[in-house]
């Protein structure tokens, strides 16, 4: 029975930890007057600039692999809609709906990557989603069905994130740097375009009167998201898409624990039980055949 690459799983857990805490940054910046779309644009523009300084030698690969445009669009849409949803919606509900993502991933991995939908892949998804439901179920929230605009944005974000992860797996032969440049640039450009459109329509405030204290926070999150993205590149290229989707459910646990730590939620026994299922899912149900490795 082949072991999952521990370094790849660890990289994905770093990614999910940063994203699980991202709601704190988005809400802090929104409170300072920086709309989530403009915050996303600023953060990912800084990320892209830092990455280009580090990985400029990988730029020619962008022209040789036009499929990276799909990665850029999927990433940009994911980041923009998730950050808006998490800033204005119920954190718990948004993350639950976003992490219907493993369902989309199993379907897309079959259609795009021809990964078989096996009893083991279904068992992993079932365990992970079961843990997610245990952690996030609250009677006052009702069934996890979209009801508000942030709810629908969360579902859209999860679907586009599934597309992103499947495309990254398909392009595993492309360097991590080239894929990261496509993702971060896509996040910056699409957020800028959406910010312009929403601001021109009067639906979002222009970032003209944001206090100076907001920009150091933007810088901190730019560094964190850069680290997060590089970890995602490493992990996604070395694990089947269905395993990646389940490992990343750990973001639910991080978000729930951080909300409890900051006094925004109560830590219950069900959080510990569900969290254990989320973390254990990819390890309890393993594939018998060797995992494909990145080139």
């Amino acid at each position: 029975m082949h072991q999952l690459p521990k370094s790849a799983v660890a990289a994905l857990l770093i990614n999910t930890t940063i994203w699980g805490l991202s709601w704190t940054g988005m809400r802090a910046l929104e409170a300072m007057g920086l709309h989530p779309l403009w915050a996303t644009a600023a953060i990912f523009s800084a990320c892209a600039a830092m990455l280009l300084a580090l990985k400029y030698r990988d730029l020619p690969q962008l022209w040789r692999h036009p499929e990276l445009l799909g990665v850029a669009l999927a990433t940009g849409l994911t980041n923009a809609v998730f950050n808006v949803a998490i800033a204005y919606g119920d954190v718990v509900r948004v993350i639950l709906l976003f992490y219907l993502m493993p369902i989309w991933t199993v379907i897309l991995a079959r259609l795009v990557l021809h990964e078989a939908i096996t009893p083991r892949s279904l068992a992993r998804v079932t365990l992970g989603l079961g843990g997610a439901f245990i952690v996030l179920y609250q009677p006052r929230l009702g069934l996890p069905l979209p009801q508000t605009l942030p709810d629908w944005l969360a579902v859209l974000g999860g679907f586009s994130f599934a597309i992103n992860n499947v495309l990254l797996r398909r392009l595993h032969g492309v360097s991590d740097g080239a894929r990261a440049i496509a993702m971060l640039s896509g996040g910056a450009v699409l957020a800028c375009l959406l910010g312009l459109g929403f601001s021109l329509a009067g639906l979002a405030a222009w970032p003209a009167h944001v206090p100076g204290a907001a920009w150091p926070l933007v810088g901190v999150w730019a560094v964190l998201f850069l680290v997060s993205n590089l970890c995602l590149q490493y992990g996604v290229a070395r694990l089947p898409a269905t395993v990646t989707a389940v490992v990343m459910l750990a973001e639910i646990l991080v978000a729930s624990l951080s909300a409890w730590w900051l006094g925004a939620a109560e830590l219950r026994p069900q959080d510990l039980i569900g969290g254990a299922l989320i973390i254990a899912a990819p390890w309890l149900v393993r594939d018998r055949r060797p995992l494909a490795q990145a080139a």
Side-chain angles (χ1 to χ4, degrees):
M1 186 176 292
H2 193 82
Q3 297 287 327
L4 293 176
K6 293 181 179 179
S7 59
V9 174
L12 288 182
L13 290 176
I14 293 172
N15 172 271
T16 58
T17 298
I18 292 172
W19 274 101
L21 296 172
S22 66
W23 67 273
T24 60
M26 286 299 148
R27 291 200 167 187
L29 290 170
E30 197 276 335
M32 294 179 182
L34 189 61
H35 189 276
L37 285 175
W38 286 117
T40 302
I43 288 170
F44 280 88
S45 294
C47 281
M50 288 186 287
L51 186 65
L52 284 171
L54 296 172
K55 300 286 185 178
Y56 63 91
R57 291 186 179 87
D58 290 320
L59 272 174
Q61 292 195 45
L62 297 180
W63 324 131
R64 294 197 294 269
H65 299 281
E67 305 98 323
L68 288 170
L69 178 61
V71 173
L73 292 174
T75 302
L77 184 60
T78 299
N79 294 337
V81 299
F82 177 80
N83 287 339
V84 171
I86 210 70
Y88 294 115
D90 184 292
V91 173
V92 169
R93 190 174 185 88
V94 164
I95 290 181
L96 172 58
L97 292 168
F98 182 84
Y99 272 99
L100 294 175
M101 179 263 292
I103 297 174
W104 318 133
T105 299
V106 168
I107 297 170
L108 291 170
R110 175 58 183 166
L111 295 175
V112 178
L113 304 176
H114 308 295
E115 289 185 7
I117 299 179
T118 64
R120 286 180 173 80
S121 66
L122 289 176
R124 276 194 294 263
V125 171
T126 300
L127 279 175
L129 289 178
F133 186 82
I134 290 171
V135 169
L136 295 174
Y137 175 72
Q138 295 186 38
R140 68 180 178 83
L141 297 179
L143 293 175
L145 299 175
Q147 297 177 4
T148 64
L149 179 59
D151 285 356
W152 284 108
L153 291 177
V155 173
L156 176 59
F159 182 73
S160 59
F161 193 38
I163 294 174
N164 177 72
N165 288 341
V166 168
L167 289 177
L168 287 177
R169 178 64 179 168
R170 184 175 183 176
L171 295 170
H172 66 83
V174 181
S175 71
D176 289 356
R179 294 197 312 269
I181 290 171
M183 289 184 69
L184 296 179
S185 299
V189 171
L190 193 59
C192 282
L193 292 175
L194 290 172
L196 284 170
F198 274 64
S199 294
L200 288 171
L203 299 174
W206 292 97
H209 305 291
V210 178
W215 301 113
L217 186 58
V218 167
V220 169
W221 278 102
V223 172
L224 289 174
F225 279 131
L226 177 59
V227 172
S228 170
N229 186 276
L230 294 176
C231 287
L232 179 68
Q233 301 297 330
Y234 183 86
V236 165
R238 290 161 177 82
L239 292 170
T242 51
V243 175
T244 296
V246 175
V247 172
M248 297 188 75
L249 286 170
E251 182 179 331
I252 296 171
L253 183 59
V254 174
S256 299
L257 289 174
S258 63
W260 166 73
W261 182 261
L262 295 174
E266 179 184 355
L267 185 64
R268 304 151 298 166
Q270 73 188 72
D271 298 322
L272 302 177
I273 296 170
L277 281 177
I278 291 169
I279 299 297
W283 304 97
L284 291 177
V285 186
R286 301 174 183 171
D287 291 306
R288 293 185 180 279
R289 61 183 178 82
L291 298 175
Q293 294 296 312

